[in-house]
Amino acid sequence: MYDVVENKPRTKIAKHCKEAGLYRVQKSVFLGTVERNRLDELRLNIESLTNDDVDSVYIFPMCEHDFKKVILLGQAFDKKLVTDEILSLFM
C-alpha cells in the first residue's frame, strides 16, 4: 500500500509490484504472495523510487492463517481492478 506524491515514481512502483506477481486491488494497494528474496528486491526498488520526506509505503507480511482472518467491509476492492483469483482468496 502506498501514497506517493510524484506520478513517475508512483507508476514505476505499480509496475514493480505487478512484476513481482502482486495483484492490484485498489489504485495504490497490491496483494499477493511473494517469495522472501523477491520481497527484498521489491523493497529495494521501491525505496530507490520514494522520497522519505513526502511518500509513504506500507508492506504488511501475513501468513495464510492471519490472511484468512481479514475482514472486508463495504467496497473493499475496486471491482474493475480485482481478478476472480483475488476474490477467491476471501471466499
Side-chain angles (χ1 to χ4, degrees):
M1 169 180 358
Y2 56 83
D3 183 7
V4 176
V5 175
E6 296 292 326
N7 288 333
K8 190 173 181 180
R10 187 172 51 240
T11 300
K12 287 183 179 183
I13 290 169
K15 181 181 175 194
H16 284 299
C17 289
K18 290 177 187 176
E19 288 172 352
L22 298 175
Y23 298 93
R24 188 174 233 153
V25 295
Q26 292 285 340
K27 290 186 179 180
S28 63
V29 179
F30 286 80
L31 176 68
T33 302
V34 179
E35 296 294 326
R36 182 71 208 177
N37 61 335
R38 187 68 173 112
L39 179 59
D40 292 340
E41 180 184 341
L42 178 61
R43 177 185 172 185
L44 291 172
N45 286 333
I46 291 172
E47 281 181 322
S48 73
L49 294 167
T50 54
N51 178 339
D52 289 344
D53 294 330
V54 295
D55 297 330
S56 300
V57 177
Y58 302 89
I59 299 172
F60 300 104
M62 287 186 191
C63 65
E64 186 175 348
H65 177 75
D66 287 335
F67 182 76
K68 291 186 182 286
K69 294 179 186 176
V70 169
I71 299 169
L72 304 176
L73 304 172
Q75 298 297 312
F77 296 122
D78 185 331
K79 291 178 179 35
K80 291 176 271 183
L81 299 174
V82 178
T83 65
D84 289 338
E85 186 175 351
I86 290 297
L87 291 175
S88 71
L89 294 173
F90 291 94
M91 311 221 167

